[in-house]
Amino acid sequence: MASIFQARSFMLIAYAMMFTLMGEPTVAVVIFRPSKWSLAHATFYGDETASETMGGACGYGNLFQNGYGTDTVALSSTLFNNGYACGSCFQIKCYQSSACYRNVAFTTVTATNLCPPNWSKPSDNGGWCNPPRVHFDMAKPAFMKIAQWKAGIVPVMYRRVPCQRKGGIRFSFQGNGYWLLVYVMNVGGGGDISSMMVKGSRTGWIKMSHNWGASYQAFSTLGGQALSFRITSYTTKETIIAWNVAPSKWNVGLTYSASTNFH
């Protein structure tokens, strides 16, 4: 089965027109398109409260407070792609099982966690997330939208779809005065991030390294400066700039919202 990321070449429509925003070249329009349907399997973890899904390998923290709710999924490492799939969205429908709800076309979930391999069990009997399997371990409330939970595991059809987000990209700050760690949330379009740069009001653009999941870091002294971010989508390769997201008096532990997002 082809990797979901191998399909990205036909998932977008990019217009060649370029324009300049505050001196920075930006692709005018990039629209993320759904992929083709593919086969996989799905299980669930946690209970109906989805309390066990809070946090997760992507670093989104409280999924209720940060807008993801219970419509979330942990991806097998084949899909998780070392965290670059964090924030991506999937439509999942139960397929050819007596446990499927017949009147449900699909449910839409966001990737917020990793389903790790279990090498003590075979991949077709308990080690569902062992590579190279493509597998979805859904929050129980999300699984219960498409199938009877007592089934435990069901075959599914899935496809990548655009993430529909309200408002702009959000940046949650951690770290200290010499190390800025940023968790990127509420990403629209492909939902994923391949790279980031940060710019202080007294600096040029500084490349941020990928920490893990949806977090990026810069080992720079940026205190007392308004901060802007340049973000590139992993799937579409579109780059957008969020100018002056955080004021000069920014603090760790706070989240700052941009007015821009992917489509």
Side-chain angles (χ1 to χ4, degrees), residues 189-205:
D192 49 16
I193 299 294
S194 68
S195 62
M196 279 182 59
M197 300 181 79
V198 60
K199 182 184 184 304
S201 52
R202 300 191 299 273
T203 75
W205 287 105

Side-chain angles (χ1 to χ4, degrees), residues 76 82 101 105 108 114 119 143 181 187 196 209 222 228 236 254:
S76 61
N82 292 321
Y101 291 135
T108 303
L114 167 68
W119 297 115
F143 184 92
L181 179 66
V187 180
M196 279 182 59
S209 59
L222 294 166
S228 303
T236 69
L254 298 180

